[in-house]
Amino acid sequence: MNLSIAQILGSINLFLVIYTLIDSFEKFYNYKEYLTGGALSWSLLRKNSSFTSKSESFRNFIDIIFPIRPWFFLIAFRMICGLGLLVLPFNSPFFAFLYASLFIIGFLVSLRNQAYGAETENRFSLIIIGTLLLRSLSPTDRVTLASLWFIALLVCLSYLIAGISMLGNRDWRRGNGFKYVVASVEMIPFKKINTFFDEHKVLTQLVNWLIILFECAFPMVLFAGQIVFWCFLVLGIILHLAIAFGFRMGKFFWVWMATYPALIFIAQR
Amino acid sequence: MPFRELIIALIFILWLTANICYLFINKRRGDFTHRSDLFRWLSTVKLFSRSETFYLSYRDKLADQSLMLWQSVSLNQPWRPYHAIWFPARTIGECVKSMLSDLAHYARKDQSGLGRKKIKERFIYHALFYFLQRYPKNDDSLGRQFRIQDKENNEVFISDFYRE
């Protein structure tokens, strides 16, 4: 069964929109943190030296858009743009506007919270949204192909880098990295799971090396044939489901799943 | 190839090359600087390759100069199956963990060098105090102090007393 370009892009959009809606609803749910006294209040974040060192015109601009009211207006607009991607017909001329809006607001989310580190899933979603924005500016076959290759290459690179980073970490290299993570009550506050992995050392070492092998070898999906491709894809889905349920990082799942249709498209060819 | 396609192809090539160059040449610095740089987005993806955990605790100094016991700050929420889809409480926990990790990183570096920004001048140092204000304190408190420990309970950093 071969998927059409419309189905591939539609699937990417669907996963991106699910991520965008969950992330936006979570921001609304946490609105108290955006009020004065909250950890995400603009009265606090604006004191960050990466803002105070900027020009006065830039500071005036962010002082207009980052306080709670305009900020939540932008987040609500982001949700509407996300829904627009699902409602409007494929290749609608409005797509460029919707992607551009999602890209700008996503970038502002990253900028506003930069003192607290990267929201990794938001930043990875920006790569996908940015790519689809470029594609929507010139939706020809060649640009579509280049866009899907770009997404596929970057997701392979993301796994490869994570694998290399694990190899650079002494705990993971010794086969204990996975154990330290899953046996840690800070990472998974579920005593039965912590104890289970703490007691099964051979299993945790096996999973440790399986994860490293999976991540380092993931770029093979681009050229190793259908069987290898589907094995990696299924393993990837299992890994991300485990991360979502175990580590409660569900938003990662949707963003990384948004890249898999691009991989399927490359594998089909 | 039409001009617009050529420009888009060039942007893709530049974006990919810049990501690859940054990842392999300068990835260490990218964890702490220029977090909104267009070409450094991928470098934040580590998928648990860093497993170091830090713990935050605080104590108050009272009017009679006595010190209260250290109170540990729990950033954990009980595990629930629906957290796989909906877990807004993770946001603040992750913010605090990021601040602890960054402060621990700075504390382990030499802070005495001229021109290097002192920990106490950093935004996250003050943001941590701001965060700790949500925890109750006595009316006669003279100030609050926080401490960062690693998983072996070694003290990584201890702040001055701070009063609003």
Side-chain angles (χ1 to χ4, degrees), chain A residues 52-164:
Chain A
T52 53
S53 61
K54 293 285 191 306
S55 68
E56 195 179 339
S57 54
F58 178 78
R59 280 184 280 128
N60 288 339
F61 171 68
I62 57 176
D63 273 338
I64 291 170
I65 59 167
F66 283 161
I68 183 163
R69 281 192 184 188
W71 184 241
F72 277 116
F73 173 79
L74 281 177
I75 298 298
F77 184 62
R78 180 193 191 208
M79 294 169 79
I80 293 166
C81 291
L83 288 172
L85 289 180
L86 296 185
V87 174
L88 292 174
F90 177 66
N91 269 347
S92 160
F94 288 107
F95 268 36
F97 171 75
L98 297 177
Y99 286 130
S101 304
L102 287 171
F103 187 83
I104 292 167
I105 298 171
F107 180 77
L108 292 173
V109 167
S110 183
L111 181 71
R112 191 181 190 279
N113 290 4
Q114 61 180 305
Y116 297 140
E119 281 183 70
T120 308
E121 59 272 28
N122 175 50
R123 292 169 69 165
F124 200 72
S125 78
L126 285 177
I127 292 175
I128 306 170
I129 294 167
T131 307
L132 295 178
L133 169 62
L134 287 172
R135 188 230 160 231
S136 67
L137 296 175
S138 177
T140 61
D141 286 348
R142 272 190 297 218
V143 172
T144 302
L145 183 63
S147 307
L148 295 173
W149 263 103
F150 184 74
I151 292 172
L153 285 172
L154 280 178
V155 70
C156 289
L157 201 56
S158 78
Y159 285 121
L160 180 64
I161 287 304
I164 292 172

Side-chain angles (χ1 to χ4, degrees), chain A residues 33 123 137 140 169 245, chain B residues 4-5 35 49 79 98 134:
Chain A
E33 294 293 346
R123 292 169 69 165
L137 296 175
T140 61
N169 182 298
F245 278 94
Chain B
R4 192 186 278 190
E5 285 188 6
R35 285 182 157 135
S49 55
W79 187 89
S98 167
R134 66 186 63 197

Side-chain angles (χ1 to χ4, degrees), chain A residues 22 25-26 29-30 33 37-39 44 47-49 103 107 114-118 120-121 123-124 126-127 131 134 137-138 140 142-143 147 150 153-154 157 161-162 165-166 169 171-172 185-187 189-190 215 244-250 256, chain B residues 1-2 4-5 8 11-12 15-16 19-20 23-24 27 35-38 40-42 44-51 53 55 76-79 81 83-92 94-95 97-99 102 117 123-124 127 130 134 151:
Chain A
I22 293 174
F25 275 123
E26 285 192 349
Y29 186 85
N30 283 330
E33 294 293 346
L44 171 69
K47 293 173 186 162
N48 185 359
S49 60
F103 187 83
F107 180 77
Q114 61 180 305
Y116 297 140
T120 308
E121 59 272 28
R123 292 169 69 165
F124 200 72
L126 285 177
I127 292 175
T131 307
L134 287 172
L137 296 175
S138 177
T140 61
R142 272 190 297 218
V143 172
S147 307
F150 184 74
L153 285 172
L154 280 178
L157 201 56
I161 287 304
S165 186
M166 282 173 177
N169 182 298
D171 292 334
W172 282 88
V185 75
E186 283 76 27
M187 295 298 284
F190 198 142
E215 293 190 329
F245 278 94
F247 301 101
R248 302 180 289 177
M249 296 164 81
W256 260 261
Chain B
M1 186 184 276
R4 192 186 278 190
E5 285 188 6
I8 290 172
I11 293 172
F12 280 141
W15 199 357
L16 184 65
N19 261 305
I20 292 171
L23 283 168
F24 292 102
K27 66 177 182 174
R35 285 182 157 135
S36 53
D37 190 310
L38 196 67
R40 295 173 183 176
W41 289 343
L42 210 55
T44 60
V45 182
K46 296 276 163 55
L47 294 175
F48 313 113
S49 55
R50 294 171 168 213
S51 53
T53 308
Y55 301 92
N76 287 336
Q77 302 273 333
W79 187 89
H83 283 166
I85 296 168
W86 174 255
F87 189 29
R90 176 173 172 260
T91 306
I92 297 302
E94 287 302 305
C95 289
K97 283 176 189 171
S98 167
M99 286 191 280
D102 285 5
K117 205 171 179 179
F123 169 77
I124 49 175
Y130 201 77
R134 66 186 63 197
K151 62 185 172 189

